[in-house]
Amino acid sequence: MKYDFSEIEKRQQKLWEEQKIFRLDDRNAKRPYYCLEMFPYPSGRIHMGHVRNYSIGDVIARYKKMQGFDVLHPMGWDAFGLPAENAAIKHGIHPAKWTYENIDYMRTQLKRMGLSYDWTREIATCDPKYYKWEQLFFIQMLEKGLVYRKKAKVNWCESCQTVLANEQVEEGLCWRCDSEVVERELDSWFFKITDYAEELLSGCEKLKGWPEKVLTMQRNWIGKSVGAEIDFKVKGKDKVIKVFTTRPDTLFGVTFMSISPEHPLAVELSRGTSQQEQVKAFIEKWKSALKSERYGQTEKEGVFTGSYAVHPLTGEEVPIFVANFVLMEYGTGAVMAVPAHDQRDFEFAKRFNLPIRIVIMPKDGQLHQEDMEEAWEGPGVLVNSAQFSGLDNEEAKIRIVELLEKEGKGQKKITYRLRDWGISRQRYWGAPIPIIHCEQCGPVPVPKEDLPVELPFDVEFDPSGRSPLPHLEAFWKTDCPRCGRPARRETDTMDTFVESSWYFARYICADDHTKALDRERVDRWLPVDQYVGGIEHAILHLLYSRFFTKALRDLGYLSADEPFDRLLTQGMVLKDGAKMSKSKGNVVDPDTMITRYGADTVRLFILFAAPPERDLEWSDRGVEGSHRFILRLWRLVTDNLDQLKPASFSGDELRSICAEQKNLRALRQKTHQTIKKVTEDIEERYHFNTAISAVMELVNQISSTLKDFQGSEEQGFWKVIREAIEAALLLLSPMIPHVTSELWQILGHKQLIAREPWPVSDPDAAKKEAVLVVIQVKGKVRGKIEVPVGSSKEEVLTLAQKEPNVSKYLEGKEIRKVIYVPDRLLNIVV
RNA sequence: GCCGAAGUGGCGGAAUUGGUAGACGCGCUAGAUUCAGGAUCUAGUGGGAGUUAUUCCCGUGGGAGUUCGAAUCUCCCCUUCGGCACCA
């Protein structure tokens, strides 16, 4: 019988569809398990990264189903975004047409892979039936104070003609097109993610099933700093400059102050002083520098403002500088400078010849102002700090802030690096922001009964990339819902990350178009038990989804605190050591591979070549190896079908057969050891590569046993073989579902293999009778002897001493110590 | 600079708790078989030495240490990758 994978895969997929085996009745689920992979952007074709992502998720989903869980395993499309619009401009295709055609094509591709999705739950985020709810959330979040509008400096990408979130700017460049990001003042809508900064941070502790790497990245991104805000008066002016510091213990070491070139007082402080022109010039120069040029520039530059700040405790006057390294976005845009204990201040002080005053003395060793080469940022005891001298610096932090609070000159303060999430995008292909701007009433939310605000279809695309919406009167011209006067509809659309921040909840009740989320249904399934996706979303998507889940919880839509209980971040698929990309010309097309070898082979290779979290090197030879293995499996069944078919078995039968025949006992032992090993590898570690190699070993042993018993017609023998083969098929069925399903039928089973329960290892059958114990002398291997399981130290030692190669090393020496690891190793120390 | 991960044959990788390093697969070598096949089967395959069926030495990026015993634990160093990057 020929292994015609193309026919087999088509036939099996048709069977699964006809029998609706992956359709889930979520309301009647007794053991819910939600397995989810990150949904794709419908770019046109799936790539190997998708194949890997969805193969991994499919193994988990199918495995859990066989374990008896009711598995929710949906798929959909992250369908808004720039490429659709670019295609429209370039090829004159409407973004909607482009997107839906891509979806149709990619759906076919995914179906060819034989993935166990419940396709009835499919969603596309560009569907008004989807984004309608998102617009509703926006309005409700606005009512709750979680959405606000402000004129803000935004990151603007000229090439993409849109605003980017902080998270989408990488080293001053656009994350998508790598072109220079410039600053612009724009009225924009923001989600108040900072309201959840503390919960997003502390929640990391509870995410036990997330990779530590991702949690670290999230923590760094949130960037919590505990410290104090301290008020410095400006000498001779009725002004106060607030600074933020994490080191209030160094307050007595302040010898100057630095403020950002963007600080509102920067120009004012120099007004009327001799420094006025210099300050102006400095700020101009700084502003004209490109954002990417500012990155990596560590040279400290600055200019004296001509003004002085008054130290809140000593009354000392210290000069105020405008300095290039002070960020306006963080803290207050002004810092108290303590050159002795902050490296940046130290460098600045050296450059401008400013005094360095030591106020923290390290426990061992002395610091001397004259010969310091770098700042001392470590702990120590306070010196030169009035009544606080002699205190440990951690203690001093508390005491000094207490005093400042008492005198009304400062207070404890916690600062986060996390910024609010700007979501306004000046693009067409996104969900419209449901707002109407009225000259009288200001921005007014679209009445809920008028939702969705649908994206108009008939638009002209501007080759520059500018959104057509502001020029489309039919879209923007409207009346104010509050006062009825003529008004203008908001023409910005939402960041596409908004759609992907809650899609996992929508799948659960995708059939219900009367409400956004059915709380009862959603609560049964969230959080997602297992989420699988690429590491590139470690910050953006995952942080936004966590925020959205908390916001939706607080709006009463659901109860979960976190969206994803366990997270598996798969590595990249590489070719020749580099990520596959068109420009490098090292792309391997999944379709080509599936046509050539079948979906099972491609799935098997990609699961076998590396553990999921590691990068995977694509190898054409490796694919052939995987194909050969499936062929071997195929022949193992089909070449022996006459004997295998009638060889139905029961556990009791097998036990009595194996009691008499040692070789068969060994095979059955291997069968049950393999079941145990594969179950553990999948359940505990998701190490499919070792799970597959374990089944390969089993298959190898089946083959060699067959050879040993060549031509045997004995019934008992074939029963043991059949048990082993069936175990191999069941264990492999989540990974190579088509061929195992076909072989299962060929063996005469009426029920589809996907409906079979996962095999259970019989501990008695798996138990070894004898083990190979390694004999070491002084830690060096000198022999191996076979002993019955559970042999005592003495028994093994007696046998070991009889081994010629062991006794050779013991001769004339005194045994000092014998270490015995039961059933593994005996080490004789002489 | 800081944080994190990793470094094992010609290659992908295994060794789950400190206990036979190199499972499984690729590749390679030799032989068999068929040459229509991306074939199949058998044996071998870390390096070195040897009295070549049973042996010894070396070997998990480098160096030290703990231990009867270290790829695994500790310290120092090197390399690669990823993240953050003047965060006060």
Side-chain angles (χ1 to χ4, degrees):
Chain A
M1 220 188 287
K2 192 174 172 269
Y3 171 51
D4 184 345
F5 52 82
S6 171
E7 278 306 308
I8 291 167
E9 292 181 356
K10 260 186 240 154
R11 182 161 55 238
Q12 290 299 328
Q13 285 165 15
K14 195 163 159 244
L15 273 175
W16 303 338
E17 203 163 322
E18 281 167 2
Q19 300 198 14
K20 300 178 175 146
I21 54 173
F22 302 119
R23 209 167 279 185
L24 173 78
D25 176 3
D26 63 273
R27 287 191 184 80
N28 293 310
K30 289 183 188 71
R31 295 179 70 196
Y33 188 90
Y34 191 172
C35 177
L36 181 69
E37 299 110 56
M38 291 179 183
F39 65 167
Y41 176 75
S43 55
R45 300 177 74 82
I46 61 166
H47 54 67
M48 279 300 172
H50 292 129
V51 173
R52 190 174 194 197
N53 192 174
Y54 304 143
S55 297
I56 292 166
D58 201 46
V59 174
I60 297 168
R62 286 174 178 269
Y63 166 77
K64 285 287 172 184
K65 185 176 165 63
M66 290 174 82
Q67 284 277 15
F69 288 90
D70 299 297
V71 178
L72 172 56
H73 192 212
M75 180 42 75
W77 311 95
D78 190 12
F80 273 137
L82 267 183
E85 231 171 310
N86 294 340
I89 295 159
K90 210 169 157 191
H91 303 117
I93 314 165
H94 194 279
K97 188 172 181 314
W98 185 85
T99 302
Y100 279 108
E101 279 176 6
N102 286 349
I103 287 175
D104 285 342
Y105 188 75
M106 289 172 78
R107 188 192 300 108
T108 314
Q109 288 190 301
L110 292 184
K111 287 194 171 177
R112 262 189 101 190
M113 283 181 63
L115 303 165
S116 64
Y117 295 125
D118 177 355
W119 283 102
T120 64
R121 294 167 189 275
E122 179 180 353
I123 51 178
T125 57
C126 61
D127 185 343
K129 291 200 282 295
Y130 179 83
Y131 67 71
K132 171 184 178 177
W133 305 119
E134 191 167 302
Q135 293 174 335
L136 178 63
F137 297 154
F138 179 92
I139 292 167
Q140 288 172 331
M141 284 163 81
L142 180 71
E143 288 164 355
K144 217 173 181 298
L146 282 174
V147 167
Y148 65 94
R149 181 176 172 83
K150 72 172 178 193
K151 200 173 207 59
K153 279 218 185 75
V154 293
N155 307 301
W156 177 264
C157 175
E158 193 60 37
S159 142
C160 297
Q161 283 285 313
T162 191
V163 167
L164 302 170
N166 279 352
E167 288 83 344
Q168 296 164 340
V169 180
E170 292 164 352
E171 302 195 353
L173 303 176
C174 174
W175 70 312
R176 185 180 284 119
C177 67
D178 272 350
S179 52
E180 191 70 38
V181 172
V182 294
E183 283 184 344
R184 262 205 181 183
E185 283 250 320
L186 276 183
D187 278 313
S188 298
W189 292 98
F190 287 84
F191 281 141
K192 231 174 160 197
I193 191 171
T194 52
D195 270 12
Y196 290 89
E198 191 56 50
E199 199 193 336
L200 287 167
L201 182 68
S202 62
C204 289
E205 305 303 317
K206 285 179 248 161
L207 295 170
K208 302 280 182 230
W210 283 42
E212 197 50 47
K213 183 185 184 175
V214 175
L215 293 175
T216 305
M217 282 162 74
Q218 295 232 334
R219 286 190 193 104
N220 290 344
W221 194 262
I222 297 165
K224 179 181 181 178
S225 293
V226 180
E229 200 169 78
I230 303 173
D231 299 344
F232 281 70
K233 282 191 175 132
V234 180
K235 183 196 170 194
K237 292 204 165 99
D238 190 22
K239 295 278 176 199
V240 168
I241 298 178
K242 285 181 183 295
V243 301
F244 173 73
T245 179
T246 54
R247 295 295 303 273
D249 51 324
T250 63
L251 184 56
F252 288 84
V254 172
T255 56
F256 61 101
M257 179 183 280
S258 311
I259 65 173
S260 167
E262 295 171 277
H263 197 282
L265 290 179
V267 178
E268 203 183 320
L269 288 174
S270 66
R271 195 163 292 146
T273 74
S274 58
Q275 295 296 104
Q276 191 169 342
E277 287 312 308
Q278 283 188 51
V279 169
K280 239 186 187 162
F282 182 81
I283 293 172
E284 281 311 310
K285 192 181 150 221
W286 185 88
K287 276 191 175 156
S288 65
L290 290 172
K291 221 176 172 177
S292 61
E293 284 171 11
R294 285 185 214 151
Y295 272 89
Q297 189 197 339
T298 49
E299 194 69 23
K300 302 286 174 291
E301 283 169 20
V303 60
F304 176 45
T305 59
S307 289
Y308 292 84
V310 181
H311 193 286
L313 296 183
T314 65
E316 188 185 349
E317 294 166 6
V318 295
I320 304 172
F321 284 78
V322 176
N324 66 338
F325 64 91
V326 182
L327 306 170
M328 196 57 220
E329 312 84 83
Y330 185 78
T332 61
V335 289
M336 60 179 223
V338 185
H341 305 293
D342 181 285
Q343 186 57 26
R344 291 154 303 177
D345 297 343
F346 183 85
E347 286 166 27
F348 195 85
K350 280 283 176 196
R351 182 143 184 200
F352 292 92
N353 264 319
L354 294 157
I356 294 167
R357 187 179 302 150
I358 293 168
V359 289
I360 306 284
M361 198 53 83
K363 292 224 162 57
D364 46 350
Q366 294 278 311
L367 281 184
H368 301 286
Q369 257 139 243
E370 315 80 60
D371 54 17
M372 274 179 92
E373 280 173 10
E374 55 180 17
W376 169 255
E377 296 182 338
V381 173
L382 268 70
V383 294
N384 299 324
S385 299
Q387 68 267 41
F388 300 101
S389 295
L391 282 180
D392 175 83
N393 75 301
E394 287 303 320
E395 169 79 16
K397 281 181 184 171
I398 300 162
R399 295 288 187 78
I400 290 178
V401 174
E402 274 171 10
L403 179 66
L404 289 167
E405 281 180 342
K406 206 171 99 194
E407 298 193 358
K409 290 169 176 168
Q411 65 273 313
K412 259 187 277 182
K413 174 96 180 174
I414 293 169
T415 304
Y416 299 91
R417 210 185 74 114
L418 183 70
R419 302 269 78 91
D420 278 334
W421 175 15
I423 56 144
S424 294
R425 295 291 179 273
Q426 295 67 41
R427 297 298 303 217
Y428 164 75
W429 193 235
I433 294 172
I435 289 289
I436 291 163
H437 295 282
C438 170
E439 283 191 15
Q440 291 290 315
C441 313
V444 179
V446 171
K448 286 166 194 159
E449 57 275 17
D450 292 350
L451 295 179
V453 176
E454 274 198 53
L455 200 58
F457 188 82
D458 281 321
V459 288
E460 292 274 333
F461 290 95
D462 186 329
S464 74
R466 233 160 275 152
S467 169
L469 294 179
H471 313 288
L472 191 68
E473 202 178 280
F475 176 69
W476 61 255
K477 196 172 180 185
T478 185
D479 297 327
C480 172
R482 202 166 286 165
C483 69
R485 286 193 182 83
R488 192 183 167 92
R489 192 182 292 285
E490 170 77 60
T491 53
D492 283 353
T493 53
M494 288 193 237
D495 183 1
T496 55
F497 275 96
V498 181
E499 283 89 62
S500 55
S501 295
W502 69 286
Y503 77 108
F504 45 87
R506 183 64 197 156
Y507 280 136
I508 298 164
C509 44
D511 56 346
D512 186 348
H513 296 292
T514 66
K515 46 179 137 8
L517 299 171
D518 182 318
R519 182 156 185 165
E520 202 189 317
R521 291 168 81 185
V522 167
D523 280 350
R524 181 177 300 189
W525 293 91
L526 287 186
V528 171
D529 291 278
Q530 182 64 57
Y531 198 33
V532 187
I535 186 74
E536 66 272 19
H537 295 106
I539 300 173
L540 295 180
H541 163 58
L542 292 171
L543 191 67
Y544 292 152
S545 297
R546 293 183 62 212
F547 159 64
F548 238 79
T549 301
K550 292 169 196 300
L552 291 177
R553 175 198 63 197
D554 294 344
L555 289 174
Y557 280 103
L558 46 84
S559 309
D561 295 319
E562 291 286 344
F564 314 118
D565 190 40
R566 304 229 297 174
L567 172 70
L568 178 64
T569 49
Q570 105 241 1
M572 287 186 298
V573 182
L574 312 176
K575 179 81 198 291
D576 310 321
K579 190 179 179 174
M580 288 185 186
S581 74
K582 273 190 207 135
S583 57
K584 289 197 198 87
N586 61 348
V587 176
V588 180
D589 177 47
D591 252 3
T592 313
M593 288 295 141
I594 291 174
T595 304
R596 191 176 301 162
Y597 299 104
D600 281 339
T601 294
V602 176
R603 291 172 59 131
L604 185 68
F605 167 72
I606 223 158
L607 292 164
F608 179 60
E613 64 279 2
R614 249 205 254 187
D615 285 349
L616 181 151
E617 175 71 31
W618 183 267
S619 151
D620 289 337
R621 300 274 199 186
V623 180
E624 282 170 22
S626 294
H627 192 68
R628 276 202 292 270
F629 172 71
I630 293 176
L631 273 171
R632 234 181 305 148
L633 187 69
W634 177 261
R635 280 197 305 264
L636 192 58
V637 176
T638 56
D639 288 355
N640 299 295
L641 206 53
D642 292 343
Q643 291 87 345
L644 284 171
K645 242 183 158 170
S648 60
F649 56 86
S650 74
D652 286 341
E653 270 180 291
L654 293 169
R655 263 187 289 279
S656 66
I657 296 160
C658 292
E660 289 156 25
Q661 302 210 47
K662 203 179 168 197
N663 284 13
L664 295 182
R665 196 153 66 229
L667 178 61
R668 185 149 196 263
Q669 185 187 312
K670 184 72 178 177
T671 301
H672 286 269
Q673 282 170 355
T674 305
I675 294 171
K676 183 164 184 281
K677 162 96 177 131
V678 171
T679 308
E680 284 168 1
D681 278 351
I682 298 179
E683 182 73 44
E684 290 161 25
R685 317 195 294 166
Y686 294 151
H687 277 200
F688 313 116
N689 56 331
T690 52
I692 292 165
S693 75
V695 185
M696 286 174 168
E697 284 184 47
L698 175 63
V699 170
N700 290 346
Q701 194 163 329
I702 297 171
S703 300
S704 58
T705 309
L706 273 173
K707 223 159 280 152
D708 291 347
F709 284 71
Q710 209 157 29
S712 171
E713 293 293 332
E714 198 208 324
Q715 279 231 325
F717 165 75
W718 286 103
K719 286 178 195 287
V720 177
I721 295 286
R722 179 160 171 150
E723 188 203 24
I725 288 177
E726 289 202 348
L729 294 178
L730 288 164
L731 295 174
L732 288 171
S733 67
M735 298 142 189
I736 46 173
H738 309 90
V739 67
T740 50
S741 191
E742 181 84 6
L743 289 173
W744 194 252
Q745 284 185 311
I746 289 175
L747 280 172
H749 290 283
K750 292 282 170 288
Q751 177 167 262
L752 288 174
I753 197 168
R755 287 201 199 271
E756 295 288 340
W758 189 251
V760 179
S761 172
D762 176 349
D764 283 335
K767 207 159 78 187
K768 289 183 184 169
E769 297 149 356
V771 281
L772 209 57
V773 170
V774 171
I775 310 300
Q776 295 184 333
V777 180
K778 275 181 75 181
K780 295 225 181 256
V781 180
R782 297 300 178 192
K784 293 160 194 181
I785 53 175
E786 198 172 78
V787 300
V789 167
S791 299
S792 72
K793 183 174 173 178
E794 289 70 27
E795 287 165 345
V796 178
L797 181 60
T798 314
L799 287 168
Q801 282 167 324
K802 286 182 196 149
E803 284 285 303
N805 199 47
V806 173
S807 57
K808 192 164 103 193
Y809 288 93
L810 297 176
E811 226 166 282
K813 303 221 172 87
E814 187 194 343
I815 295 177
R816 270 182 36 215
K817 201 170 161 188
V818 177
I819 292 133
Y820 183 55
V821 184
D823 299 339
R824 296 199 89 149
L825 172 141
L826 184 87
N827 189 4
I828 305 166
V829 187
V830 292

